[in-house]
Amino acid sequence: MKNFVDENFELNEVQKLEGHTDRVWGLAWKPAAGIDGVPAVLASCSGDKTVRIWEQSPATGCFQCKAVLEDTHTRTVRSCAWSPSGKYLATASFDATTAIWEDAGGDFSCVATLEGHENEVKSVSWNASGSLLATCGRDKSVWIWEVLPHNEFDCISVLQGHTQDVKMVQWHPSVNILISCSYDNSIKVWAEDGDSDDWHCVQTLNQSNSGHTSTVWALSFNASGDKMVTCSDDLTIKIWGCDIIRMQSGDGNAPWMHISTLSGYHDRTIFSIHWSRDGIICSGAADDAMRFFIESKDDLVDGPYYKLIYKKEKAHEMDINAVQWSSLENNRLASASDDGTIKIWEFISAPGKKMHL
């Protein structure tokens, strides 16, 4: 990870993508696109019941809508996620289904529909190997699906533990540990029991252990997977740490511990948070603003300290629902908003410039 502490930054709006006719809820950069001559590809999903696939032109560098995935979901598409190989795109909808789309050279076809949630599906996530898929929803449950040959998906576990709407699920980047966050103000850590193959909750992070005091909207891991960041209705961002060596040795019970709380940086609900591979945390909120943070090396006496390095007011005209760093272009970021647009940004260090704080 680079040491950015002494650098100054600027955020450049590269392009505004228009086409959705309702709020844009989620974004996902396609893995393994954007390098070796393969154009960068971004998926977006919306209240207009569609998913749009945006591809960067090698000639102009501009993103263009290459496909509209429609006539499958009958209500809002809330979340989208690419499989690690980039072959499949999963889309979670308020119509209580999750659709699996296969990308055959830019031609998308719906090859499976996952049913089981009672109502709105809020989030979908693939594990690191692409062998498992997780979904969650308003019915308070988290479902784990095994990916089988021939586009078959088998539900292997329904996890009940949250007492309210589950907002997001996210797999750990290297270990089969699943994290969920909820309207019940808690974050839950789920792992497989090595003996029985049953999935169960191994830890709950809530107010009793320095957790959030209101709805937890989103979470993201750092590149090495030893830290996690969460954001909430309580207007705070929290950093959590774990013994990654213990976790990778097969101990799913390795506890997550509260490291730091960042508060006072947004004055309305923080809906989205994402940690770049370079160690920059970006948050997006209902105050239409984005904030950028890094771990400071200045004062390690009381443990890691995180500092604001840039803020962008009025990044969109309405609430920001998603911020997503590119998986390959370290300084490329996308944001999505209730204003129906997606913006592509470039976040770069600007030597000699006054820090924009």
Side-chain angles (χ1 to χ4, degrees):
M1 191 179 80
K2 294 181 183 174
N3 182 7
F4 289 113
V5 175
D6 298 321
E7 296 186 43
N8 298 321
F9 297 90
E10 59 184 38
L11 182 71
N12 299 323
E13 182 180 328
V14 177
Q15 194 179 352
K16 181 160 73 171
L17 309 182
E18 297 176 296
H20 283 296
T21 57
D22 201 327
R23 68 185 60 180
V24 186
W25 278 111
L27 298 168
W29 290 100
K30 185 177 181 179
I35 53 167
D36 299 331
V38 180
V41 173
L42 178 71
S44 60
C45 58
S46 166
D48 66 11
K49 310 173 191 173
T50 73
V51 176
R52 285 179 172 258
I53 308 295
W54 310 85
E55 184 177 291
Q56 187 179 29
S57 162
T60 66
C62 292
F63 284 82
Q64 299 166 315
C65 183
K66 286 294 189 181
V68 180
L69 314 187
E70 54 190 348
D71 302 328
T72 294
H73 289 299
T74 58
R75 292 185 61 196
T76 290
V77 187
R78 180 65 178 82
S79 170
C80 55
W82 295 96
S83 64
S85 68
K87 183 180 180 182
Y88 296 102
L89 180 70
T91 58
S93 171
F94 285 4
D95 66 12
T97 72
T98 300
I100 309 295
W101 305 81
E102 185 174 2
D103 178 5
D107 291 327
F108 289 82
S109 56
C110 181
V111 295
T113 301
L114 312 186
E115 299 177 341
H117 283 285
E118 292 173 19
N119 40 42
E120 291 95 328
V121 188
K122 296 292 182 77
S123 176
V124 60
S125 175
W126 303 82
N127 72 340
S129 67
S131 62
L132 297 172
L133 189 73
T135 58
C136 66
R138 193 161 72 89
D139 62 8
K140 309 173 191 174
S141 71
V142 174
W143 290 50
I144 297 180
W145 308 79
E146 186 177 8
V147 184
L148 301 173
H150 312 299
N151 299 326
E152 295 285 331
F153 291 78
D154 181 28
C155 176
I156 57 172
S157 199
V158 177
L159 308 176
Q160 308 282 1
H162 285 293
T163 58
Q164 298 283 342
D165 185 342
V166 188
K167 295 293 186 189
M168 188 178 191
V169 281
Q170 188 72 43
W171 289 96
H172 186 273
S174 61
V175 182
N176 276 341
I177 300 290
L178 182 68
I179 313 286
S180 59
C181 55
S182 168
Y183 197 75
D184 66 12
N185 310 347
S186 77
I187 300 151
K188 287 186 179 289
V189 184
W190 308 87
E192 193 175 18
D193 187 315
D195 299 325
S196 66
D197 292 338
D198 285 337
W199 286 81
H200 62 288
C201 179
V202 296
Q203 190 180 10
T204 299
L205 305 174
N206 55 28
Q207 205 169 342
S208 70
N209 46 18
S210 304
H212 292 286
T213 59
S214 190
T215 300
V216 189
W217 279 91
L219 69 112
S220 178
F221 292 98
N222 67 347
S224 58
D226 65 335
K227 293 192 182 74
M228 167 174 74
V229 61
T230 57
C231 64
S232 169
D233 242 352
D234 66 12
L235 311 187
T236 71
I237 293 165
K238 289 182 181 283
I239 314 289
W240 309 83
C242 189
D243 182 343
I244 189 69
I245 305 300
R246 183 175 157 188
M247 189 191 292
Q248 287 175 339
S249 70
D251 184 357
N253 295 312
W256 290 88
M257 307 291 287
H258 174 261
I259 292 175
S260 182
T261 295
L262 308 177
S263 58
Y265 295 107
H266 288 283
D267 53 23
R268 291 186 64 194
T269 297
I270 308 166
F271 287 128
S272 185
I273 196 100
H274 198 226
W275 211 323
S276 80
R277 290 184 313 155
D278 261 355
I280 303 174
I281 297 169
C282 177
S283 59
D287 56 11
D288 313 340
M290 295 194 298
R291 300 284 185 264
F292 296 82
F293 306 89
I294 53 160
E295 183 178 334
S296 171
K297 307 296 184 186
D298 298 345
D299 178 20
L300 291 177
V301 178
D302 300 319
Y305 160 72
Y306 291 81
K307 62 185 268 186
L308 180 74
I309 54 169
Y310 194 86
K311 58 185 182 181
K312 175 66 176 178
E313 308 293 350
K314 283 292 175 192
H316 282 270
E317 292 175 15
M318 297 171 73
D319 294 10
I320 297 171
N321 296 316
V323 290
Q324 195 77 23
W325 292 99
S326 164
S327 49
L328 293 159
E329 293 283 337
N330 282 343
N331 61 350
R332 182 183 287 155
L333 177 77
S335 59
S337 168
D338 276 3
D339 65 17
T341 70
I342 299 140
K343 290 187 177 182
I344 309 292
W345 307 88
E346 186 181 48
F347 188 68
I348 56 173
S349 59
K353 289 212 171 199
K354 187 173 185 295
M355 198 178 294
H356 182 71
L357 295 177

